[in-house]
Amino acid sequence: MNTPQLLYALALQAVPNIGDITAKKLIHHCGSPEAVFKESKVNLLKIEGIGTHTIKNISVSKYLKAAEKELDFIEKQSIQGLYFEDSNYPFKLKHCIDGPIVLFQKGSIDWDKQPIISVVGTRKITTYGLAQCEKIIETLAVFNPIIVSGFAYGTDIAAHKAALKHQLQTVGCMAQGLQNTYPKQHLKYRNLIENQGGFVTDFWSTAMMDPSNFLKRNRLIAGLSEATIVIESAEKGGSLATATMALDYNREVFALPGRITDSQSQGCLNLIKTKNAHLVSNPADIPYILNWSLETQKKVIQKKLFVELDSDEKIIYNYLKKEGTSVLDIIAIACEMPTSKAAYLLLNLELKGVSRPLPGKQFELV
């Protein structure tokens, strides 16, 4: 997005009583963030769902100055401001009704052409949860997913560390401005994650960590990915709120089962019991249900046939020309081998006068 429009988007983001849903409605009606500020309040009131309480604080002079300061900060800190209509804005989040109109991003994140999975759970993760979190991410590593979590204690940092271990991109969603690290004990992971993924937030640099921010942060975790995995959770907890948001976004939710007597398994068991989550009895369940598949290697296409034949190839060519290709095609299909290999096999058997079943197949040359 060009800088002037990003500036006005930030200004709109700063206006009280205008959240992301309302901001998008205003932008779509007026055509751009700048146009919202230039539109008369009389015309803004004609928009369905927009009232005087919503627009009473719209003042370009008041909030443009704050936006200029924030824009200057993110540019100096090498933070990207991603506008929700930009092509580099995360695709999945773009389709969330309450996705931020401006997302702040720092690091080396590549959102394109990769599956994205969110991993959440209790801060009081057990040894069982740690082992299963590691096993799940290890199993998924072959699909090269981006692992998203909240950079908090317990499950979050376990997921980030497992992603780093298996050379996967990992993204931490923050509940404060990106210049701050919470918890401070995780500062040692900041550079590692920024070099192998990064951090996102929709909180300005002036926003400090506050428990009330976590719910807003959780919508990013749920919205960025195609599925959310709950490793462990008590009967109530933030990870269950994230799972609910994922369901509201029409995303898949997975839950790791545990013993019915374990307090940190109650949330997962309830998700499974109420059919709000797929039971994960094996990490392979996840790519199976999501219908992931590894890209097959490109097949080499032979554009010319029998170029500069050697002596053996000439014998095969003359044999096939005489006998026809029907037998060769049958062998190739039945034995699941290239036709060239089948030709060599057929010729070898023919020259030796051998007629026997081929290895591993109930097929006999006659």
Side-chain angles (χ1 to χ4, degrees):
M1 187 182 192
N2 62 63
T3 300
Q5 286 290 27
L6 179 58
L7 184 65
Y8 282 99
L10 287 169
L12 188 59
Q13 195 177 44
V15 177
N17 304 320
I18 295 183
D20 294 300
I21 296 175
T22 301
K24 290 176 183 177
K25 183 182 291 186
L26 291 168
I27 291 168
H28 287 151
H29 179 84
C30 299
S32 70
E34 182 178 3
V36 174
F37 288 102
K38 292 184 177 180
E39 187 64 83
S40 69
K41 290 188 177 182
V42 173
N43 287 335
L44 291 177
L45 287 172
K46 294 178 182 179
I47 303 173
E48 185 178 356
I50 302 300
T52 54
H53 179 71
T54 302
I55 66 171
K56 68 179 182 180
N57 292 308
I58 291 183
S59 171
V60 67
S61 59
K62 183 177 181 180
Y63 297 105
L64 197 60
K65 188 174 182 179
E68 287 173 346
K69 185 177 180 180
E70 186 65 16
L71 185 59
D72 181 63
F73 172 83
I74 67 173
E75 288 177 347
K76 288 180 179 178
Q77 296 295 319
S78 300
I79 295 172
Q80 289 181 277
L82 307 180
Y83 181 58
F84 78 102
E85 290 186 338
D86 288 348
S87 59
N88 59 346
Y89 188 94
F91 180 77
K92 292 288 184 183
L93 192 62
K94 184 176 290 192
H95 296 282
C96 297
I97 188 172
D98 58 349
I101 61 169
V102 177
L103 181 72
F104 302 107
Q105 173 179 302
K106 187 174 178 64
S108 54
I109 308 170
D110 180 8
W111 297 108
D112 292 336
K113 299 178 182 178
Q114 287 178 284
I116 305 172
I117 288 290
S118 292
V119 179
V120 297
T122 179
R123 298 186 179 198
K124 300 178 181 179
I125 191 169
T126 67
T127 53
Y128 163 74
L130 281 171
Q132 294 304 313
C133 180
E134 163 71 25
K135 186 177 180 182
I136 287 171
I137 292 176
E138 180 183 14
T139 301
L140 298 181
V142 67
F143 297 96
N144 196 32
I146 298 174
I147 304 298
V148 174
S149 199
F151 200 59
Y153 293 112
T155 303
D156 289 8
I157 197 62
H160 291 306
K161 288 167 68 176
L164 291 172
K165 177 181 176 181
H166 294 286
Q167 291 80 51
L168 301 175
Q169 284 193 83
T170 187
V171 176
C173 299
M174 306 290 258
Q176 73 281 336
L178 292 182
Q179 83 282 9
N180 298 314
T181 299
Y182 178 85
K184 290 185 178 180
Q185 289 87 335
H186 292 171
L187 182 60
K188 58 187 175 183
Y189 302 114
R190 278 292 297 250
N191 288 337
L192 291 172
I193 291 177
E194 286 181 11
N195 290 331
Q196 200 170 304
F199 294 91
V200 296
T201 189
D202 59 331
F203 289 99
W204 282 29
S205 62
T206 52
M208 303 300 291
M209 202 293 299
D210 187 274
S212 63
N213 294 347
F214 285 122
L215 198 60
K216 190 177 182 183
R217 182 277 309 267
N218 289 351
R219 88 192 194 287
L220 297 182
I221 298 175
L224 285 167
S225 64
E226 63 182 280
T228 294
I229 305 170
V230 185
I231 299 296
E232 286 183 313
S233 175
E235 193 168 3
K236 294 180 180 180
S239 56
L240 298 183
T242 306
T244 299
M245 292 174 183
L247 291 169
D248 290 341
Y249 293 146
N250 198 31
R251 312 291 166 79
E252 300 291 348
V253 175
F254 296 86
L256 185 72
R259 291 181 297 190
I260 60 174
T261 55
D262 288 352
S263 61
Q264 298 305 322
S265 291
Q266 297 309 304
C268 289
L269 292 174
N270 286 336
L271 283 172
I272 296 166
K273 181 170 62 177
T274 56
K275 298 182 180 180
N276 284 316
H278 300 285
L279 184 152
V280 180
S281 59
N282 187 308
D285 296 339
I286 298 166
Y288 174 77
I289 291 172
L290 293 176
N291 197 31
W292 288 359
S293 61
L294 295 172
E295 290 186 2
T296 56
Q297 294 182 346
K298 293 183 179 180
K299 294 182 178 180
V300 177
I301 300 175
Q302 185 174 334
K303 295 183 178 180
K304 295 183 179 180
L305 186 63
F306 296 136
V307 179
E308 297 182 0
L309 301 180
D310 60 26
S311 58
D312 289 338
E313 288 172 335
K314 288 179 181 178
I315 295 173
I316 294 171
Y317 172 76
N318 292 330
Y319 176 87
L320 293 177
K321 185 177 180 180
K322 176 182 177 182
E323 300 295 334
T325 61
S326 57
V327 174
L328 175 60
D329 290 339
I330 292 172
I331 294 174
I333 294 171
C335 299
E336 298 176 354
M337 64 174 64
T339 52
S340 59
K341 184 176 180 181
Y344 277 106
L345 176 62
L346 180 61
L347 177 63
N348 188 47
L349 293 175
E350 178 71 16
L351 293 176
K352 293 181 179 180
V354 177
S355 177
R356 59 179 177 80
L358 297 175
K361 295 290 179 181
Q362 293 301 313
F363 179 83
E364 189 169 272
L365 292 175
V366 293

